[in-house]
Amino acid sequence: MKSQQLRQLLDSLSLDEKIGQLVQLSGEFYQAQNIATGPQKSLGITQNMVDLSGSVLNVTGAEQVKRVQEEHLKKGKHPIPLLFMADIIYGYHTVYPIPLGIGATWDPKLVEEAYHNTADEASASGVDVTFAPMLDLVRDPRWGRVLESTGEDAMLNSHFARAMVNGLQKDLPNGRGLAACIKHFAGYGAAEGGREYNSADISLPNLKQNYLPAYRAAVDAGAKMVMASLSTLNGVPGTGDQWLIDDMLRKQWGFDGVVISDYASIQELVDHGFAQDREDAARLAITAGVDIDMKSPCYANGLEQLLNKGRISEEKINQAVWRVLSLKNDLGLFENPFRGASIERESHSILSSDKRAVARKMSQEAIVLLKNEDEILPLAKQSNKKIAVIGPYADEADLIGLWAVHADRHDTVTLADGIKEKLNDSYYSISKGTDILRDKKFFDQFGTAEESVKRSISSNEEEMKQRQKSLKNAAKSDIIIFACGEHPLQSSEAGSRVLLRLPQNQVDLFNELVELQKPIITIVFSGRPLVLTDLVSKSSALVQAWFPGTEGGHALADILFGDYNPSGRLSMSMPYIEGQLPMHYDHLSTGRSEETSQHNSRFVSRYVDSPSKPLFPFGFGLSYGELVYSKLVIERSQLKLGETVESYVTINNIGNYNRYEVVQIYFHDDVASVAQPVKRLVDFKRVFIKAGETKQVKFSIPINQLGFYDRKGNYQLEPGTFTFFAGSDSMAMLSEQIELIQ
Ligand code: GLC
């Protein structure tokens, strides 16, 4: 539809019809299958508003979408198609590793391809918009939603933000793309204490330096929608933050797309003590610039009254409606309200072999090898050594994490499936050993149905049998693979934890296995960095698998048996102990740094009962074989504003394996008017290097990227010296200095 026609449509709408466009409801209002992603309450809105609503939450499937759309178009004076929005966070039916695993790939190109595939799958099922990517920077793994983030670094997150948006929206014009709704704007990732839905307090320089860049990158890449955060930032709830939405996002960044609230978050403005009542909440949200009210009655019941009382202008409503109609128009819904929805397409697209192949590649790249003593890995496919695969994840299909809500875990390749394809039957055994979690209280707190609790927790007798079987298998074996991890319910939304350990029943089994004094290769499945300190010291090898997705079992077996040389590098620090949290590699130096302070050992910045360093730092990960960083060369040591730092890093693969290496460049602004992080990632390259090969990896870094934000939030780049570091993780030690002169 031409812009002029769209304008005419807007002008012809009644107030009710306009308000309807700003209301989003979930499946049960359309007699459609509903996935609950928030508290279920009856909304208390009129049937007329339901009939006029503009968008739907989490209704998918070509057949169902078509039916709902057809019925909707029969209602109302002006048939305006519904927008179908859904949470498709890291894959639709073909599920990738959780985003924290995606972050560990350091491979934005592959991520773009994967999200392009996701858009193809989900658009075939009638989805128009996905509530992804989540771009919240994270520093505290107690927060369950670290699962949804690509990690703790602003620059790395920005690369992934662009890749995900580009992949999702690439085929938007021809009906096979998805509009990206980036979220949760902004600062939700800094929830205090890592406690879900808690408030965040972030200084202006920190916000601009770390928390906003990924959003900015996604907006610049053309993301069509933004979701406001349901949390508060410096006391102001995201849903009512005019400074963030109207001033920064729209006016400064030039975003002209749709802003949506989070689930019920407009009405929660009352609970925050920010709004007087629901009508006031509607006023605050629409004034801040929130266009769509997701699952709350505030806009449906409040906007007309506010208008009649003169507390908001009709222009404000018109602007919001215009943005919603424009999105529908950009997606071509007025010409074809069903867009890509097609049962035929679904059958070709969903879980096709080429999509599975990309998922397998992504899982391979996401898995991080953290320890490999005496090069116990890779295992030989043909050897007379007996392998016992033991643990609750040995043959578990739930490898997709809690937020893959549209996928079916039965489509997953388990670890056992993967191993079976590599080995002859006689060389291995598989046994569960124990349940993932045997804490009934844990399940009860979510009101989990008795039947599914029974499915998760075996009887004491069954548990005992499993344990004995696994100990017998272990005794007969030469090598143990211990597949352990947290329960999917322990991470993701509303999955905050204070103790980031394996469930005790798994620890007990592990310790029994340790007593057998056989080499143990531990594989950890989790939605977050766990505290692995004890596990690491008692294992010969340790593999961090995250929730690796549909093809997880294949990818793990590829790594265990050397068909893929692990290349994953942590995008989030792994704590030594929970009491260190929050932690991040790019912290400021203190006046009394542990390493460089002149003070005697008591009066330095450290803990008296724990190391202050992480167990594994940001950027860390092992590969098979050995590689050395031999040289960092910077072409010119004095530069002026606007110039580029040209540098080379020389790496030598002195091992026997071909591999990928993620060459990482960090810098430190040596003296600045605001103290600067000890190191900040400024560039990286993922390069393939053959055994025996030497490579020079070139970096061109615009000097203007080395600036920082001052206390007023202004970007500054001050003359002086900067130290660059090159290496394989954030402890990178090769260094060179340059000087920025005026
Ligand atoms: C949730 C989440 C958000 C999600 C939304 C819709 O509560 O915070 O990430 O997109 O509801 O399901």
Side-chain angles (χ1 to χ4, degrees):
M1 196 185 277
K2 295 225 169 72
S3 179
Q4 204 189 351
Q5 277 173 291
L6 199 66
R7 204 33 91 184
Q8 281 165 1
L9 173 65
L10 172 64
D11 292 342
S12 67
L13 297 182
S14 66
L15 182 62
D16 264 7
E17 285 175 304
K18 287 182 190 172
I19 294 172
Q21 288 305 306
L22 310 182
V23 172
Q24 175 163 114
L25 302 173
S26 49
E28 72 270 26
F29 288 87
Y30 308 90
Q31 282 74 51
Q33 211 189 338
N34 184 47
I35 291 170
T37 55
Q40 301 296 292
K41 272 192 207 150
S42 87
L43 279 192
I45 62 173
T46 62
Q47 186 57 41
N48 182 43
M49 265 301 145
V50 175
D51 292 345
L52 295 176
S53 61
S55 56
V56 195
L57 167 64
N58 280 332
V59 170
T60 61
E63 199 181 330
Q64 180 165 243
V65 163
K66 280 187 168 178
R67 175 180 61 74
V68 172
Q69 188 73 290
E70 256 163 21
E71 279 167 26
H72 176 80
L73 289 171
K74 288 183 204 148
K75 296 171 188 154
K77 224 168 52 198
H78 298 90
I80 302 176
L82 284 165
L83 272 170
F84 287 82
M85 306 196 190
D87 288 289
I88 296 161
I89 317 290
Y90 47 97
Y92 179 51
H93 280 273
T94 308
V95 181
Y96 310 110
I98 56 166
L100 208 49
I102 291 177
T105 67
W106 295 59
D107 191 354
K109 227 169 126 198
L110 178 65
V111 174
E112 181 169 334
E113 189 184 352
Y115 276 69
H116 184 226
N117 282 353
T118 293
D120 188 67
E121 273 191 343
S123 63
S125 273
V127 181
D128 301 312
V129 177
T130 171
F131 295 126
M134 182 191 100
L135 301 178
D136 299 322
L137 180 129
V138 291
R139 292 171 164 179
D140 193 335
R142 288 174 296 179
W143 193 46
R145 298 193 86 163
V146 299
L147 171 147
E148 280 177 75
S149 168
T150 48
E152 71 186 43
D153 183 75
M155 203 271 291
L156 189 58
N157 286 353
S158 301
H159 276 277
F160 288 123
R162 271 189 291 272
M164 289 171 178
V165 170
N166 288 337
L168 289 168
Q169 297 194 161
K170 200 175 197 168
D171 283 338
L172 217 47
N174 63 25
R176 292 177 177 224
L178 292 181
C181 177
I182 59 177
K183 66 188 186 185
H184 311 82
F185 195 64
Y188 186 18
E192 277 177 13
R195 181 161 55 79
E196 186 57 298
Y197 310 131
N198 207 0
S199 28
D201 205 295
I202 309 174
S203 73
L204 193 56
N206 189 8
L207 184 72
K208 289 199 164 181
Q209 187 68 56
N210 297 304
Y211 287 87
L212 294 183
Y215 285 100
R216 184 65 198 262
V219 167
D220 290 347
K224 291 278 183 192
M225 279 184 64
V226 173
M227 184 188 292
S229 178
L230 43 64
S231 56
T232 59
L233 170 63
N234 302 340
V236 180
T239 317
D241 196 335
Q242 189 169 6
W243 172 73
L244 257 187
I245 300 171
D246 206 36
D247 295 354
M248 177 124 41
L249 179 68
R250 291 205 197 281
K251 298 203 177 94
Q252 290 176 39
W253 297 2
F255 177 73
D256 61 0
V258 173
V259 175
I260 189 168
S261 78
D262 199 346
Y263 196 106
S265 71
I266 298 187
Q267 85 181 39
E268 286 171 10
L269 291 177
V270 180
D271 304 279
H272 281 294
F274 186 74
Q276 192 74 36
D277 50 28
R278 288 180 178 179
E279 193 180 295
D280 195 35
R283 176 185 67 80
L284 286 159
I286 195 120
T287 306
V290 177
D291 302 317
I292 299 180
D293 178 354
M294 182 200 290
K295 281 284 283 191
S296 111
C298 297
Y299 279 11
N301 296 343
L303 289 181
E304 188 175 351
Q305 276 91 323
L306 286 166
L307 192 64
N308 292 340
K309 290 177 191 163
R311 300 196 74 201
I312 58 168
S313 66
E314 185 152 8
E315 183 49 26
K316 201 79 206 164
I317 295 178
N318 286 346
Q319 283 168 356
V321 179
W322 173 253
R323 287 190 281 259
V324 174
L325 292 179
S326 298
L327 177 59
K328 293 185 176 185
N329 196 32
D330 289 352
L331 289 168
L333 286 174
F334 290 106
E335 285 74 27
N336 176 9
F338 308 114
R339 234 173 49 101
S342 140
I343 297 177
E344 157 80 5
R345 270 193 66 215
E346 275 179 316
S347 69
H348 295 306
S349 176
I350 291 177
L351 288 162
S352 63
S353 55
D354 55 324
K355 296 209 167 56
R356 276 187 176 271
V358 173
R360 182 173 185 159
K361 197 162 179 234
M362 181 91 103
S363 300
Q364 289 171 336
E365 293 188 13
I367 292 163
V368 187
L369 177 66
L370 293 172
K371 181 177 179 184
N372 192 18
E373 202 173 63
D374 300 330
E375 301 199 352
I376 185 167
L377 287 174
L379 299 170
K381 283 184 210 160
Q382 268 155 0
S383 101
N384 49 12
K385 292 221 165 114
K386 291 204 174 69
I387 300 172
V389 188
I390 296 171
Y393 277 103
D395 197 16
E396 172 58 55
D398 207 346
L399 303 183
I400 55 178
L402 205 62
W403 232 160
V405 284
H406 304 281
D408 185 345
R409 69 191 192 96
H410 295 108
D411 295 321
T412 303
V413 178
T414 71
L415 176 62
D417 296 336
I419 290 177
K420 278 176 203 162
E421 287 178 23
K422 304 280 180 196
L423 289 178
N424 180 310
D425 278 356
S426 54
Y427 294 119
Y428 70 94
S429 62
I430 310 274
S431 50
K432 181 174 160 189
T434 185
D435 296 326
I436 300 179
L437 189 63
R438 289 183 59 72
D439 178 359
K440 186 165 178 314
K441 269 202 215 133
F442 176 83
F443 294 100
D444 286 348
Q445 65 179 319
F446 306 117
T448 316
E450 196 60 30
E451 248 170 66
S452 51
V453 177
K454 265 196 194 146
R455 238 178 292 131
S456 305
I457 306 182
S458 319
S459 65
N460 289 345
E461 203 187 4
E462 177 58 25
E463 170 78 3
M464 185 64 82
K465 254 203 311 208
Q466 284 290 352
R467 184 170 289 227
Q468 278 161 359
K469 184 176 166 197
S470 68
L471 290 172
K472 227 187 255 167
N473 286 347
K476 279 194 275 178
S477 72
D478 302 297
I479 295 171
I480 298 166
I481 295 178
F482 183 59
C484 59
E486 61 178 354
H487 194 283
L489 280 171
Q490 291 181 296
S491 59
S492 200
E493 184 170 351
S496 293
R497 299 180 68 190
V498 291
L499 283 180
L500 309 183
R501 316 278 169 104
L502 285 185
Q504 194 54 44
N505 55 306
Q506 294 188 48
V507 175
D508 293 344
L509 175 62
F510 176 72
N511 285 334
E512 282 186 72
L513 295 173
V514 170
E515 276 172 27
L516 299 175
Q517 300 199 332
K518 302 193 174 188
I520 302 182
I521 296 161
T522 301
I523 304 178
V524 179
F525 295 81
S526 65
R528 54 157 64 80
L530 293 173
V531 169
L532 302 177
T533 312
D534 198 40
L535 222 55
V536 170
S537 66
K538 293 175 181 166
S539 304
S540 300
L542 197 127
V543 177
Q544 174 64 45
W546 315 110
F547 289 118
T550 312
E551 285 288 318
H554 275 148
L556 278 162
D558 291 339
I559 285 177
L560 293 173
F561 295 97
D563 291 330
Y564 184 78
N565 190 347
S567 60
R569 305 290 183 255
L570 296 174
S571 64
M572 193 172 184
S573 312
M574 286 205 136
Y576 182 88
I577 194 165
E578 295 87 346
Q580 298 173 314
L581 300 173
M583 74 179 341
H584 52 105
Y585 82 95
D586 51 348
H587 56 84
L588 308 189
S589 44
T590 71
R592 296 179 177 191
S593 143
E594 200 176 9
E595 288 97 26
T596 55
S597 173
Q598 304 299 313
H599 296 280
N600 75 33
S601 61
R602 182 168 182 92
F603 300 102
V604 294
S605 179
R606 66 185 186 97
Y607 299 104
V608 293
D609 55 355
S610 154
S612 49
K613 293 230 162 0
L615 183 64
F616 296 109
F618 173 85
F620 178 79
L622 300 171
S623 300
Y624 300 146
E626 204 182 330
L627 183 139
V628 290
Y629 281 69
S630 54
K631 224 195 272 171
L632 165 65
V633 176
I634 295 186
E635 275 189 348
R636 285 166 45 224
S637 61
Q638 283 199 328
L639 290 103
K640 288 192 181 140
L641 276 184
E643 293 188 329
T644 302
V645 183
E646 303 288 356
S647 64
Y648 302 89
V649 180
T650 308
I651 52 173
N652 318 82
N653 184 348
I654 56 169
N656 299 322
Y657 298 87
N658 298 338
R659 60 189 279 170
Y660 283 93
E661 174 64 9
V662 181
V663 181
Q664 303 166 35
I665 305 282
Y666 297 83
F667 82 98
H668 172 61
D669 184 344
D670 298 333
V671 181
S673 55
V674 175
Q676 289 301 300
V678 288
K679 275 195 190 108
R680 241 168 74 191
L681 183 70
V682 66
D683 207 352
F684 64 91
K685 278 204 173 114
R686 191 173 178 277
V687 291
F688 184 72
I689 178 161
K690 288 195 177 142
E693 202 185 345
T694 291
K695 256 194 179 162
Q696 266 195 349
V697 187
K698 185 175 186 306
F699 292 91
S700 300
I701 301 161
I703 200 140
N704 292 13
Q705 281 180 12
L706 307 186
F708 62 87
Y709 290 92
D710 65 19
R711 289 167 118 185
K712 291 191 177 139
N714 297 320
Y715 192 73
Q716 304 286 359
L717 183 55
E718 296 170 346
T721 60
F722 294 79
T723 307
F724 282 79
F725 304 88
S728 56
D729 59 48
S730 56
M731 308 300 272
M733 287 317 285
L734 273 185
S735 70
E736 275 297 320
Q737 208 179 41
I738 62 147
E739 189 181 6
L740 171 63
I741 52 173
Q742 264 166 340

